[in-house]
Amino acid sequence: MTIESTEPAKAENPNTERVGGTTHAGLQQWVDEVAALTTPDRIEWVTGSDAEWTRLTDKLVEAGTFVRLNDEKKPNSFYAASDPTDVARVEDRTFICSVDEKDAGPTNNWMDPNEMKTLMRDLYQGCMKGRTMYVIPFVMGHLNAENPMFGVEITDSEYVVVSMRVMARCGVNVLRRIEELGEAANYVPALHSLGAPLEPGQQDVKWPCSDTKYIVQFPEERAIWSYGSGYGGNALLGKKCYSLRIASVMARDEGWLAEHMLILKLTSPEQQTYYVAAAFPSACGKTNLAMLKPTIPGWKVETLGDDIAWMRFGEDGRLYAVNPEFGFFGVAPGTNEKTNPYAMETIAKGNSVFTNVALTDDGDIWWEGMENTPAHATSWKGQDWTPDSEELSSHPNSRYCTPIEQCPILADEYNDPKGVPISAIFFGGRRASTVPLVTESRDWVHGTFMGATLSSETTAAATGQVGVVRRDPMAMLPFIGYNAGDYFQHWINLGKDADAHKLPKIFYVNWFRRDADGKFVWPGFGENSRVLKWAIERIEGKAAAVETPIGHVPTPEAIDTDGLDMDPAELAKALHVDVDEWKAEIPHIEEWFAKFGDNLPTQLRVELDGLKARLGVQ
Ligand code: GTP
Ligand code: SPV
Ligand code: MN
């Protein structure tokens, strides 16, 4: 991809300092073009060395972006607070710029790619003035994969460089491999700028960003242009932009799946192992389930991934999943020794970045829900905070960014580029009513229907209102890089072409059902192991279920409640299929499906008709 300016490229800043480079002509040309457009003071190729980490983190400390944490509490770790306007993914500023508007579908923002490029080229013009432009060669997944999934992110943010080094395999080894492959190396060019040029002598702010934000994917070109935000999925372009939006388009074209899913390994007391993938919308429990500590004796969970799964059929006809990431970018609030002890252990090893949490007076971090509430701390907004404060100490979408290899329960298979064969897929959302604790689909198409109609209350992971129920198909609403109707068809097609008995079984879960007082009915977290156990026993043909209009739901006796401190009536509530609530759901599903017109797969319409008939809806 080139920048393809219609205007002659501006003469490059003759004083630009250059550190590093590449023998790959195409890549060097793209970097030169971006430099000519954005006019940085300095161009630096990221190597991934420890010395580089130290230099960049020192620079961030000096700039005031980072505070170095107490080495005894969190070694080699840093605290950052973002600009209060730059705290989450900006879905209304995110675009799929396909050539044809129809290919973006009814769920994405769209603009003509040429129009978007013209608009953004104007924004990028001189936007790195006074800054260093970093070139980050990275690979999503394994460098020794059959087809390594390369990317190169250009960014003018040191915070992004440091975070990318945690979240993806980056640096000189990747670049050398790209160079060895030469023209044969496919890489996704991913351009990022904070949109905050510095005039000579101008004092920088702690968190530079712009009020104008664009997060843009060009699916045909497999390219990403991001502008104006320094936070999370807006700026760490290997994550949502590449591994979901662009990768979902690649997956459609090549017959695989790029999904917003955790991957876990489950070992039963009989030492049987199973791999489970689960898609829950942002801030709905993936990281927590991925690192689950089972409360039922003899069962063991190990982690393979907490956010993204790439799944391809293996030669044996089974669906294999790989986590393309190298770190966790996890929701901080609510994480504690009880809900997620392994995440706590992972971050305690250090080498992490904490953004928008609270800074304690002894140089550690804290957030709502963590043990040992400090008597005083500095809030993410930089204000004095005490337990009596009205405001939260941490932003609800505050996050820890930490290396996956520090996770004490990381499964060995994480290092296998082949991935792991998936036995079960869970779809789940955050629903106060209607959706029972767990439902088993009848078959792949019914499971696809469950995924396609998945709904969830919105969370702080994206800007906008929180707590509003919306359809979030396969937990991919903000991440499908093409027409969601075609995406549903792709799911159905993969199932059609596969060996039915080798396909993962699909389940629909809801940890978030509430009672009349607004309390969660199901205790969740480690207790979710009881639901995993039921699902595995269903796969093994051992557990009981009742057939309901929406699918197979466990009888209360089929759930292992040994040691569970829960009133049986409450469990019955969690499992209840309320026909009236489901009848009320139908118009919402109808409205959702209507968006897709002819692009809605017939099979999903048939599934909806079946559901209506079973519920007795005309
Ligand atoms: P992203 O990183 O945004 O994709 O989110 P995620 O799906 O990984 O969500 P995460 O596991 O970080 O959970 C987000 C929030 O849900 C946290 O506040 C958790 O405490 C809460 N949560 C997770 N699992 C459960 C559960 O089983 N029950 C309840 N009630 N809350 C949960
Ligand atoms: C999500 O929002 O689903 C995340 C965080 O995992 S971000 O990387 O910002 O997308
Ligand atoms: Mn996510």
Side-chain angles (χ1 to χ4, degrees), residues 300-375:
K300 187 165 93 176
V301 165
E302 290 161 272
T303 307
L304 285 126
D306 81 323
D307 200 50
I308 297 173
W310 284 350
M311 301 193 286
R312 298 166 196 265
F313 285 98
E315 274 164 23
D316 61 358
R318 297 192 68 189
L319 193 57
Y320 283 75
V322 166
N323 169 19
E325 299 195 277
F326 200 45
F328 300 125
F329 187 62
V331 176
T335 310
N336 62 44
E337 297 295 347
K338 196 153 181 295
T339 56
N340 196 340
Y342 298 124
M344 296 301 283
E345 238 183 277
T346 307
I347 61 174
K349 291 179 187 157
N351 312 307
S352 304
V353 178
F354 300 88
T355 308
N356 290 344
V357 300
L359 179 64
T360 65
D361 297 350
D362 57 355
D364 201 353
I365 41 87
W366 188 83
W367 49 70
E368 274 69 29
M370 200 197 285
E371 293 83 358
N372 305 322
T373 308

Side-chain angles (χ1 to χ4, degrees), residues 204-445:
D204 204 359
V205 294
K206 285 185 189 177
W207 188 274
C209 62
S210 168
D211 290 340
T212 304
K213 293 178 173 58
Y214 283 95
I215 318 299
V216 179
Q217 283 70 207
F218 299 100
E220 285 91 356
E221 284 182 61
R222 317 282 202 239
I224 302 160
W225 289 15
S226 165
Y227 182 90
S229 166
Y231 197 74
N234 298 333
L236 313 178
L237 303 185
K239 202 170 171 52
K240 298 301 162 60
C241 298
Y242 182 159
S243 295
L244 291 178
R245 298 197 190 98
I246 296 292
S248 64
V249 176
M250 296 174 167
R252 172 200 62 190
D253 294 348
E254 298 165 9
W256 51 282
L257 291 165
E259 299 297 327
H260 192 203
M261 291 182 183
L262 68 90
I263 311 167
L264 64 81
K265 175 182 180 180
L266 188 62
T267 307
S268 74
E270 295 79 33
Q271 300 305 308
Q272 294 288 322
T273 57
Y274 299 90
Y275 301 96
V276 176
F280 310 151
S282 302
C284 291
K286 288 183 301 300
T287 303
N288 279 274
L289 190 68
M291 292 185 219
L292 171 126
K293 187 172 185 178
T295 50
I296 40 178
W299 289 77
K300 187 165 93 176
V301 165
E302 290 161 272
T303 307
L304 285 126
D306 81 323
D307 200 50
I308 297 173
W310 284 350
M311 301 193 286
R312 298 166 196 265
F313 285 98
E315 274 164 23
D316 61 358
R318 297 192 68 189
L319 193 57
Y320 283 75
V322 166
N323 169 19
E325 299 195 277
F326 200 45
F328 300 125
F329 187 62
V331 176
T335 310
N336 62 44
E337 297 295 347
K338 196 153 181 295
T339 56
N340 196 340
Y342 298 124
M344 296 301 283
E345 238 183 277
T346 307
I347 61 174
K349 291 179 187 157
N351 312 307
S352 304
V353 178
F354 300 88
T355 308
N356 290 344
V357 300
L359 179 64
T360 65
D361 297 350
D362 57 355
D364 201 353
I365 41 87
W366 188 83
W367 49 70
E368 274 69 29
M370 200 197 285
E371 293 83 358
N372 305 322
T373 308
H376 176 268
T378 306
S379 79
W380 74 281
K381 286 186 176 167
Q383 287 157 358
D384 283 321
W385 183 92
T386 71
D388 297 329
S389 295
E390 303 227 318
E391 287 204 39
L392 295 172
S393 74
S394 308
H395 187 276
N397 191 42
S398 54
R399 302 232 169 202
Y400 54 80
C401 179
T402 194
I404 195 168
E405 288 182 326
Q406 291 180 187
C407 178
I409 56 160
L410 186 67
D412 289 342
E413 296 87 328
Y414 171 76
N415 289 310
D416 185 351
K418 190 160 89 20
V420 292
I422 298 296
S423 295
I425 291 174
F426 281 27
F427 290 122
R430 191 182 274 271
R431 286 296 303 268
S433 73
T434 318
V435 181
L437 182 61
V438 55
T439 312
E440 182 197 333
S441 64
R442 287 185 309 278
D443 55 29
W444 182 263
V445 174

Side-chain angles (χ1 to χ4, degrees), residues 264 266 268 272-278 280 289 296 299 422-427 437-441 503-511 522 527-545 552-555 557-560 575:
L264 64 81
L266 188 62
S268 74
Q272 294 288 322
T273 57
Y274 299 90
Y275 301 96
V276 176
F280 310 151
L289 190 68
I296 40 178
W299 289 77
I422 298 296
S423 295
I425 291 174
F426 281 27
F427 290 122
L437 182 61
V438 55
T439 312
E440 182 197 333
S441 64
L503 281 169
K505 247 187 193 307
I506 299 177
F507 298 84
Y508 188 178
V509 299
N510 178 21
W511 316 140
W522 176 249
E527 305 295 5
N528 294 335
S529 55
R530 300 173 193 276
V531 175
L532 284 173
K533 179 182 174 186
W534 179 78
I536 294 306
E537 288 178 348
R538 285 297 292 172
I539 290 168
E540 292 174 340
K542 292 200 293 215
H552 293 97
V553 174
T555 59
E557 302 74 42
I559 297 279
D560 181 347
L575 295 171

